[in-house]
Amino acid sequence: MKSKTPFSINLKLILLCFFFLLLLILVTRSSFSSSQQPISETHLSNSTSTTQGPQSSTATPCPSLPLSQTCTKTPPSLANALIHYATTNITPQQTFKEISVSARILAKKSPCNFLVFGLGHDSLMWTSLNHGGRTVFLEEDKSWIEQILERLPTLESYHVEYDTKVHQADQLIKIGMEENCKVVSDPRFSRCQLALKGFPSEVYDIEWDLIMVDAPTGYHDNAPGRMSAIYTAGLMARNREEGETDVFVHDVDRVVEDKFSNAFLCEGYLTEQEGRIRHFTIPSHRALLGRPFCP
């Protein structure tokens, strides 16, 4: 998720417009959902307040706005994101269309539990789009975590380690086809070599509504690669008590991300692909015993 080179100013402007549009939606929804009195009743109540007592509504009208509206502040996470992306030349690695795939799901499900493999310049954006929910980032590079959190201290990130290498991918995908890797369980207790067991306990205890796999590093043979991350994301999704999990994998133009997402998140669960990102919708396998690993 680290940005190697700055994107064009056009993407930056698109992202800013995206955030302003989200802000407008939040403000509009808040205004319409707040408990309001008709204007005629408000005037009547004001004129008879000495005999009828205080009003039951606790909403405070904005002094400079019509009586049918209330003051609504910008959520802090969204305000911080607007300021951050307005004052930096570094933009997320995903394109606008790619970001829109997961943003649409967040718009439906947030506030929710969102797990992201990787920490980067787009992390504040994901936290803001999941306003009111919990967004957790898992990152392999300690120094990178320190660098990002120095500028964005409100992000929740944990350092994790991987013991695989990209050049082991062919061997690992064969291991993943063994029967013990098709058993659905908590990754901590899985007998599959691909299951990641070293995360903080709360990562396993939470049922994640969305999981984004955009790390660890996977662009050279000695990098950790995303083989275990993809498998573990699928295992977590299947192991939830009920419902379904939306899993996104970025960089599917690369061999590992392409093969492992199709094998362990399953082509039958593929909902959408846009550019280099794939969206899988994986149902709980605990809610329906006997469900095959892939449909």
Side-chain angles (χ1 to χ4, degrees), residues 215-234:
T217 306
Y219 60 88
H220 59 86
D221 282 349
N222 288 318
R226 300 176 187 173
M227 299 81 68
S228 293
I230 292 171
Y231 174 82
T232 303

Side-chain angles (χ1 to χ4, degrees), residues 185-191 195-206 232 235-236 239:
S185 67
D186 185 316
R188 289 172 290 188
F189 311 123
S190 173
R191 297 176 61 188
L196 293 166
K197 301 177 174 66
F199 296 159
S201 59
E202 56 193 309
V203 173
Y204 301 104
D205 295 336
I206 295 172
T232 303
L235 193 58
M236 287 178 168
N239 193 53

Side-chain angles (χ1 to χ4, degrees), residues 154-205:
T154 59
L155 298 180
E156 183 177 1
S157 179
Y158 298 97
H159 176 248
V160 295
E161 296 180 347
Y162 301 91
D163 59 3
T164 57
K165 301 293 182 184
V166 170
H167 64 75
Q168 300 171 328
D170 289 340
Q171 177 187 357
L172 289 173
I173 201 167
K174 291 179 182 177
I175 291 174
M177 296 302 169
E178 296 174 358
E179 286 303 313
N180 59 3
C181 290
K182 296 180 181 179
V183 176
V184 174
S185 67
D186 185 316
R188 289 172 290 188
F189 311 123
S190 173
R191 297 176 61 188
C192 182
Q193 185 179 332
L194 280 168
L196 293 166
K197 301 177 174 66
F199 296 159
S201 59
E202 56 193 309
V203 173
Y204 301 104
D205 295 336

Side-chain angles (χ1 to χ4, degrees), residues 96-201:
F96 176 77
K97 288 185 177 180
E98 290 169 351
I99 290 171
S100 297
V101 173
S102 40
R104 284 195 298 270
I105 304 303
L106 278 169
K108 295 177 182 178
K109 288 193 170 184
S110 64
C112 63
N113 294 321
F114 186 14
L115 180 65
V116 183
F117 285 79
L119 179 71
H121 299 294
D122 54 0
S123 297
L124 183 59
M125 175 187 69
W126 296 128
T127 299
S128 301
L129 291 175
N130 190 28
H131 173 66
R134 185 172 185 181
T135 307
V136 173
F137 302 92
L138 305 177
E139 172 58 41
E140 80 223 61
D141 188 337
K142 275 188 177 180
S143 62
W144 181 246
I145 294 176
E146 293 172 358
Q147 183 179 339
I148 292 293
L149 295 188
E150 185 177 352
R151 293 186 290 112
L152 304 170
T154 59
L155 298 180
E156 183 177 1
S157 179
Y158 298 97
H159 176 248
V160 295
E161 296 180 347
Y162 301 91
D163 59 3
T164 57
K165 301 293 182 184
V166 170
H167 64 75
Q168 300 171 328
D170 289 340
Q171 177 187 357
L172 289 173
I173 201 167
K174 291 179 182 177
I175 291 174
M177 296 302 169
E178 296 174 358
E179 286 303 313
N180 59 3
C181 290
K182 296 180 181 179
V183 176
V184 174
S185 67
D186 185 316
R188 289 172 290 188
F189 311 123
S190 173
R191 297 176 61 188
C192 182
Q193 185 179 332
L194 280 168
L196 293 166
K197 301 177 174 66
F199 296 159
S201 59

Side-chain angles (χ1 to χ4, degrees), residues 10-65:
N10 289 334
L11 178 56
K12 179 180 175 182
L13 291 174
I14 290 173
L15 286 172
L16 283 173
C17 291
F18 185 83
F19 278 113
F20 279 117
L21 179 60
L22 179 61
L23 173 59
L24 179 61
I25 293 172
L26 286 172
V27 172
T28 303
R29 180 164 50 179
S30 176
S31 296
F32 277 104
S33 63
S34 299
S35 175
Q36 301 293 333
Q37 289 182 316
I39 293 179
S40 58
E41 292 183 7
T42 303
H43 284 300
L44 179 60
S45 298
N46 289 340
S47 64
T48 60
S49 60
T50 57
T51 59
Q52 294 185 2
Q55 300 299 308
S56 60
S57 174
T58 58
T60 304
C62 291
S64 59
L65 295 175

